[in-house]
Tab-separated table of all heavy atoms in Angstrom:
chain	number	residue	atom	x	y	z
P	1	ILE	N	128.048	78.776	87.122
P	1	ILE	CA	129.240	79.177	86.379
P	1	ILE	C	130.116	79.996	87.320
P	1	ILE	O	129.604	80.742	88.172
P	1	ILE	CB	128.913	79.971	85.092
P	1	ILE	CG1	128.199	81.280	85.410
P	1	ILE	CG2	128.108	79.141	84.130
P	1	ILE	CD1	128.052	82.182	84.201
P	2	VAL	N	131.399	79.839	87.172
P	2	VAL	CA	132.369	80.527	88.019
P	2	VAL	C	133.149	81.485	87.141
P	2	VAL	O	133.837	81.070	86.203
P	2	VAL	CB	133.330	79.521	88.702
P	2	VAL	CG1	134.338	80.271	89.573
P	2	VAL	CG2	132.544	78.504	89.521
P	3	LYS	N	133.007	82.773	87.423
P	3	LYS	CA	133.740	83.790	86.666
P	3	LYS	C	134.907	84.257	87.518
P	3	LYS	O	134.726	84.648	88.686
P	3	LYS	CB	132.822	84.963	86.318
P	3	LYS	CG	133.489	86.015	85.438
P	3	LYS	CD	132.530	87.146	85.066
P	3	LYS	CE	131.470	86.687	84.109
P	3	LYS	NZ	130.649	87.821	83.598
P	4	VAL	N	136.113	84.204	86.968
P	4	VAL	CA	137.304	84.581	87.721
P	4	VAL	C	138.102	85.616	86.928
P	4	VAL	O	138.261	85.514	85.718
P	4	VAL	CB	138.178	83.334	88.022
P	4	VAL	CG1	138.543	82.573	86.756
P	4	VAL	CG2	139.441	83.716	88.795
P	5	ARG	N	138.565	86.639	87.637
P	5	ARG	CA	139.322	87.707	86.996
P	5	ARG	C	140.743	87.245	86.715
P	5	ARG	O	141.330	86.483	87.501
P	5	ARG	CB	139.350	88.931	87.927
P	5	ARG	CG	139.623	90.236	87.217
P	5	ARG	CD	139.398	91.399	88.149
P	5	ARG	NE	140.414	91.457	89.194
P	5	ARG	CZ	140.396	92.327	90.198
P	5	ARG	NH1	139.382	93.162	90.315
P	5	ARG	NH2	141.346	92.332	91.102
P	6	ARG	N	141.308	87.698	85.618
P	6	ARG	CA	142.670	87.295	85.246
P	6	ARG	C	143.691	87.817	86.253
P	6	ARG	O	143.609	88.976	86.676
P	6	ARG	CB	143.029	87.826	83.854
P	6	ARG	CG	142.313	87.123	82.722
P	6	ARG	CD	142.708	87.705	81.384
P	6	ARG	NE	142.052	86.991	80.305
P	6	ARG	CZ	142.516	85.910	79.708
P	6	ARG	NH1	143.692	85.402	80.100
P	6	ARG	NH2	141.857	85.322	78.736
P	7	PRO	N	144.656	87.002	86.638
P	7	PRO	CA	145.707	87.462	87.558
P	7	PRO	C	146.491	88.623	86.934
P	7	PRO	O	146.860	88.587	85.760
P	7	PRO	CB	146.605	86.233	87.728
P	7	PRO	CG	145.758	85.067	87.318
P	7	PRO	CD	144.822	85.580	86.279
P	8	GLY	N	146.719	89.675	87.718
P	8	GLY	CA	147.531	90.798	87.256
P	8	GLY	C	146.819	91.760	86.330
P	8	GLY	O	147.422	92.758	85.900
P	9	ILE	N	145.536	91.538	86.008
P	9	ILE	CA	144.854	92.384	85.029
P	9	ILE	C	144.693	93.812	85.547
P	9	ILE	O	144.733	94.773	84.778
P	9	ILE	CB	143.479	91.779	84.641
P	9	ILE	CG1	142.860	92.555	83.483
P	9	ILE	CG2	142.549	91.745	85.841
P	9	ILE	CD1	143.621	92.494	82.200
P	10	GLU	N	144.542	93.973	86.878
P	10	GLU	CA	144.351	95.312	87.423
P	10	GLU	C	145.571	96.186	87.167
P	10	GLU	O	145.442	97.360	86.769
P	10	GLU	CB	144.064	95.219	88.925
P	10	GLU	CG	143.401	96.452	89.487
P	10	GLU	CD	142.750	96.183	90.835
P	10	GLU	OE1	143.059	95.141	91.455
P	10	GLU	OE2	141.942	97.014	91.268
P	11	ARG	N	146.749	95.615	87.340
P	11	ARG	CA	147.985	96.370	87.100
P	11	ARG	C	148.106	96.741	85.625
P	11	ARG	O	148.484	97.873	85.277
P	11	ARG	CB	149.195	95.537	87.551
P	11	ARG	CG	150.537	96.188	87.296
P	11	ARG	CD	151.662	95.306	87.823
P	11	ARG	NE	151.556	93.937	87.312
P	11	ARG	CZ	151.977	93.574	86.105
P	11	ARG	NH1	152.513	94.458	85.278
P	11	ARG	NH2	151.868	92.311	85.724
P	12	ILE	N	147.786	95.803	84.742
P	12	ILE	CA	147.868	96.058	83.301
P	12	ILE	C	146.894	97.164	82.892
P	12	ILE	O	147.236	98.076	82.137
P	12	ILE	CB	147.570	94.766	82.519
P	12	ILE	CG1	148.658	93.731	82.783
P	12	ILE	CG2	147.436	95.048	81.016
P	12	ILE	CD1	148.328	92.341	82.252
P	13	VAL	N	145.667	97.088	83.412
P	13	VAL	CA	144.646	98.083	83.077
P	13	VAL	C	145.068	99.462	83.572
P	13	VAL	O	144.960	100.458	82.837
P	13	VAL	CB	143.283	97.671	83.670
P	13	VAL	CG1	142.312	98.845	83.642
P	13	VAL	CG2	142.716	96.491	82.903
P	14	ASP	N	145.549	99.565	84.808
P	14	ASP	CA	145.968	100.862	85.346
P	14	ASP	C	147.090	101.479	84.509
P	14	ASP	O	147.062	102.677	84.203
P	14	ASP	CB	146.442	100.704	86.796
P	14	ASP	CG	145.283	100.488	87.761
P	14	ASP	OD1	144.131	100.732	87.356
P	14	ASP	OD2	145.537	100.062	88.905
P	15	ALA	N	148.079	100.652	84.148
P	15	ALA	CA	149.215	101.159	83.374
P	15	ALA	C	148.769	101.643	81.996
P	15	ALA	O	149.142	102.741	81.557
P	15	ALA	CB	150.277	100.070	83.239
P	16	ASP	N	147.954	100.853	81.300
P	16	ASP	CA	147.540	101.237	79.952
P	16	ASP	C	146.560	102.402	79.967
P	16	ASP	O	146.543	103.226	79.044
P	16	ASP	CB	146.936	100.038	79.213
P	16	ASP	CG	148.016	99.170	78.567
P	16	ASP	OD1	149.201	99.458	78.807
P	16	ASP	OD2	147.681	98.226	77.840
P	17	LEU	N	145.737	102.502	81.018
P	17	LEU	CA	144.848	103.662	81.135
P	17	LEU	C	145.657	104.945	81.303
P	17	LEU	O	145.316	105.985	80.729
P	17	LEU	CB	143.914	103.488	82.335
P	17	LEU	CG	142.518	102.934	82.061
P	17	LEU	CD1	141.749	102.800	83.371
P	17	LEU	CD2	141.745	103.798	81.086
P	18	ARG	N	146.718	104.873	82.084
P	18	ARG	CA	147.567	106.049	82.293
P	18	ARG	C	148.187	106.502	80.967
P	18	ARG	O	148.193	107.688	80.639
P	18	ARG	CB	148.656	105.709	83.310
P	18	ARG	CG	149.499	106.890	83.737
P	18	ARG	CD	150.308	106.590	84.977
P	18	ARG	NE	151.165	105.423	84.788
P	18	ARG	CZ	150.991	104.265	85.427
P	18	ARG	NH1	149.988	104.119	86.269
P	18	ARG	NH2	151.819	103.261	85.243
P	19	ILE	N	148.659	105.547	80.184
P	19	ILE	CA	149.251	105.878	78.887
P	19	ILE	C	148.181	106.425	77.941
P	19	ILE	O	148.410	107.389	77.206
P	19	ILE	CB	149.941	104.641	78.289
P	19	ILE	CG1	151.187	104.293	79.106
P	19	ILE	CG2	150.306	104.869	76.831
P	19	ILE	CD1	151.842	102.995	78.708
P	20	LEU	N	147.016	105.812	77.963
P	20	LEU	CA	145.932	106.249	77.089
P	20	LEU	C	145.519	107.684	77.412
P	20	LEU	O	145.248	108.485	76.507
P	20	LEU	CB	144.737	105.310	77.253
P	20	LEU	CG	143.661	105.329	76.173
P	20	LEU	CD1	144.244	105.029	74.793
P	20	LEU	CD2	142.563	104.320	76.498
P	21	ARG	N	145.472	108.031	78.691
P	21	ARG	CA	145.123	109.401	79.073
P	21	ARG	C	146.158	110.394	78.538
P	21	ARG	O	145.810	111.481	78.057
P	21	ARG	CB	145.033	109.521	80.602
P	21	ARG	CG	143.821	108.832	81.216
P	21	ARG	CD	143.677	109.223	82.679
P	21	ARG	NE	142.688	108.399	83.343
P	21	ARG	CZ	142.964	107.364	84.133
P	21	ARG	NH1	144.230	107.019	84.349
P	21	ARG	NH2	142.006	106.664	84.696
P	22	ARG	N	147.434	110.032	78.627
P	22	ARG	CA	148.476	110.942	78.127
P	22	ARG	C	148.363	111.115	76.620
P	22	ARG	O	148.458	112.228	76.099
P	22	ARG	CB	149.853	110.400	78.499
P	22	ARG	CG	150.139	110.475	79.980
P	22	ARG	CD	151.615	110.331	80.255
P	22	ARG	NE	151.892	110.386	81.680
P	22	ARG	CZ	153.103	110.416	82.206
P	22	ARG	NH1	154.142	110.387	81.404
P	22	ARG	NH2	153.269	110.471	83.501
P	23	LEU	N	148.152	110.023	75.923
P	23	LEU	CA	147.987	110.112	74.474
P	23	LEU	C	146.776	110.983	74.124
P	23	LEU	O	146.816	111.771	73.169
P	23	LEU	CB	147.826	108.716	73.872
P	23	LEU	CG	149.090	107.876	73.733
P	23	LEU	CD1	148.732	106.460	73.275
P	23	LEU	CD2	150.064	108.510	72.750
P	24	ALA	N	145.693	110.843	74.883
P	24	ALA	CA	144.481	111.624	74.614
P	24	ALA	C	144.731	113.110	74.842
P	24	ALA	O	144.265	113.953	74.057
P	24	ALA	CB	143.341	111.133	75.498
P	25	ARG	N	145.462	113.457	75.910
P	25	ARG	CA	145.743	114.874	76.172
P	25	ARG	C	146.595	115.473	75.060
P	25	ARG	O	146.370	116.601	74.615
P	25	ARG	CB	146.451	115.029	77.523
P	25	ARG	CG	145.548	114.821	78.726
P	25	ARG	CD	146.168	115.422	79.979
P	25	ARG	NE	147.430	114.777	80.327
P	25	ARG	CZ	147.534	113.737	81.138
P	25	ARG	NH1	146.451	113.207	81.672
P	25	ARG	NH2	148.715	113.232	81.423
P	26	ILE	N	147.578	114.697	74.604
P	26	ILE	CA	148.432	115.176	73.507
P	26	ILE	C	147.603	115.358	72.241
P	26	ILE	O	147.701	116.376	71.544
P	26	ILE	CB	149.592	114.189	73.252
P	26	ILE	CG1	150.484	114.095	74.490
P	26	ILE	CG2	150.409	114.625	72.049
P	26	ILE	CD1	151.440	112.922	74.460
P	27	ALA	N	146.786	114.351	71.936
P	27	ALA	CA	145.966	114.411	70.723
P	27	ALA	C	145.007	115.589	70.774
P	27	ALA	O	144.791	116.279	69.764
P	27	ALA	CB	145.197	113.107	70.550
P	28	GLU	N	144.416	115.847	71.941
P	28	GLU	CA	143.470	116.958	72.068
P	28	GLU	C	144.167	118.290	71.801
P	28	GLU	O	143.591	119.202	71.214
P	28	GLU	CB	142.858	116.948	73.464
P	28	GLU	CG	141.786	118.005	73.660
P	28	GLU	CD	141.048	117.849	74.976
P	28	GLU	OE1	141.505	117.044	75.823
P	28	GLU	OE2	140.025	118.527	75.159
P	29	ARG	N	145.430	118.395	72.229
P	29	ARG	CA	146.179	119.633	72.044
P	29	ARG	C	146.653	119.809	70.608
P	29	ARG	O	146.711	120.931	70.091
P	29	ARG	CB	147.376	119.633	72.999
P	29	ARG	CG	148.071	120.968	73.111
P	29	ARG	CD	149.068	120.980	74.250
P	29	ARG	NE	150.139	120.004	74.080
P	29	ARG	CZ	150.330	118.963	74.878
P	29	ARG	NH1	149.513	118.748	75.885
P	29	ARG	NH2	151.337	118.140	74.684
P	30	ARG	N	146.972	118.716	69.937
P	30	ARG	CA	147.603	118.799	68.622
P	30	ARG	C	146.646	118.618	67.444
P	30	ARG	O	146.936	119.084	66.347
P	30	ARG	CB	148.704	117.724	68.511
P	30	ARG	CG	149.936	117.994	69.360
P	30	ARG	CD	150.875	116.793	69.338
P	30	ARG	NE	152.160	117.102	69.938
P	30	ARG	CZ	153.241	117.414	69.246
P	30	ARG	NH1	153.190	117.478	67.935
P	30	ARG	NH2	154.376	117.676	69.866
C-alpha cells in the first residue's frame, strides 16, 4: 500500500494550529 500526504496540508495545519492556540489562550483567560 502506498500512503501519500495531501499536497499543501502542512501549510494548512500550521495556519490552523496558530489560530487554535490563540483561541485557546483567549478562552483560558476569559
